[in-house]
Amino acid sequence: MSSRGRKKAATQRMLQQLRTATNSTSMNKASIIVDATKYIEELKQKVEGINNSELGTVESSSSTSQDQLPMVTVETLERGFLINVFSERNCPGMLVAILEAFEELGLDVLDARVSCEDNFQLEAVGGEGQDQNESIDAQVVKQAVLQAINNMN
């Protein structure tokens, strides 16, 4: 096969690959290249859209993580406390940090409901342990929980 024939065959293979990659139905060289150019532009727009959405997500999550502390409420019960913690963001280890704070205060968790899907939500009933000599008030529990969460960051 001559050099000219090999060159023509290589060009035809390249055009066929372009047609396949861009889903083009065109038969002539110019139309295939136009279709390929349109396809590349579409891909560029998709990439820009993905990058912009990721950038928006990163910016919003970094601003939220700095600005919003979890909402913590503590109510005094007959023997213990009802502790509610809600945060717009879920951080790995938040539940463990809160439970460690309970343990440091000598609170036993009597009942708890936790959701850690997109946000963090905890409702727990804590009772003072048997060996607890001094009484704990709701403000001390709230401060210990907030401190445990802040120490995570």
Side-chain angles (χ1 to χ4, degrees):
M1 187 179 245
S2 69
S3 173
R4 180 179 267 174
R6 282 192 298 265
K7 192 173 183 181
K8 187 171 183 158
T11 302
Q12 290 301 318
R13 279 194 307 270
M14 293 297 287
L15 287 174
Q16 183 59 40
Q17 287 176 345
L18 263 177
R19 285 182 64 213
T20 303
T22 61
N23 296 323
S24 175
T25 56
S26 303
M27 294 304 289
N28 67 10
K29 186 176 178 180
S31 297
I32 294 171
I33 292 173
V34 168
D35 289 344
T37 304
K38 288 178 185 176
Y39 182 72
I40 290 170
E41 288 302 317
E42 288 174 16
L43 289 177
K44 282 182 182 178
Q45 289 174 352
K46 285 181 182 178
V47 167
E48 286 176 10
I50 291 170
N51 286 339
N52 289 340
S53 69
E54 286 178 358
L55 183 60
T57 304
V58 168
E59 286 175 353
S60 67
S61 68
S62 65
S63 66
T64 353
S65 65
Q66 306 258 333
D67 299 342
Q68 292 191 338
L69 287 175
M71 184 177 72
V72 178
T73 59
V74 180
E75 296 176 32
T76 305
L77 302 175
E78 190 174 316
R79 282 195 47 80
F81 303 97
L82 173 63
I83 301 114
N84 288 297
V85 180
F86 178 79
S87 176
E88 290 291 331
R89 61 187 173 93
N90 181 20
C91 295
M94 187 179 291
L95 178 61
V96 173
I98 293 170
L99 292 177
E100 286 174 348
F102 289 174
E103 188 176 309
E104 287 175 16
L105 292 171
L107 291 177
D108 295 328
V109 178
L110 306 174
D111 186 31
R113 277 186 288 198
V114 181
S115 172
C116 302
E117 195 71 23
D118 293 328
N119 52 27
F120 179 86
Q121 194 167 3
L122 165 73
E123 180 180 280
V125 176
E128 295 183 45
Q130 305 293 4
D131 56 337
Q132 195 73 16
N133 293 337
E134 58 204 49
S135 177
I136 302 171
D137 70 340
Q139 190 62 31
V140 171
V141 175
K142 182 176 181 176
Q143 290 301 319
V145 170
L146 284 171
Q147 184 177 1
I149 293 169
N150 285 334
N151 287 342
M152 288 176 34
N153 299 332

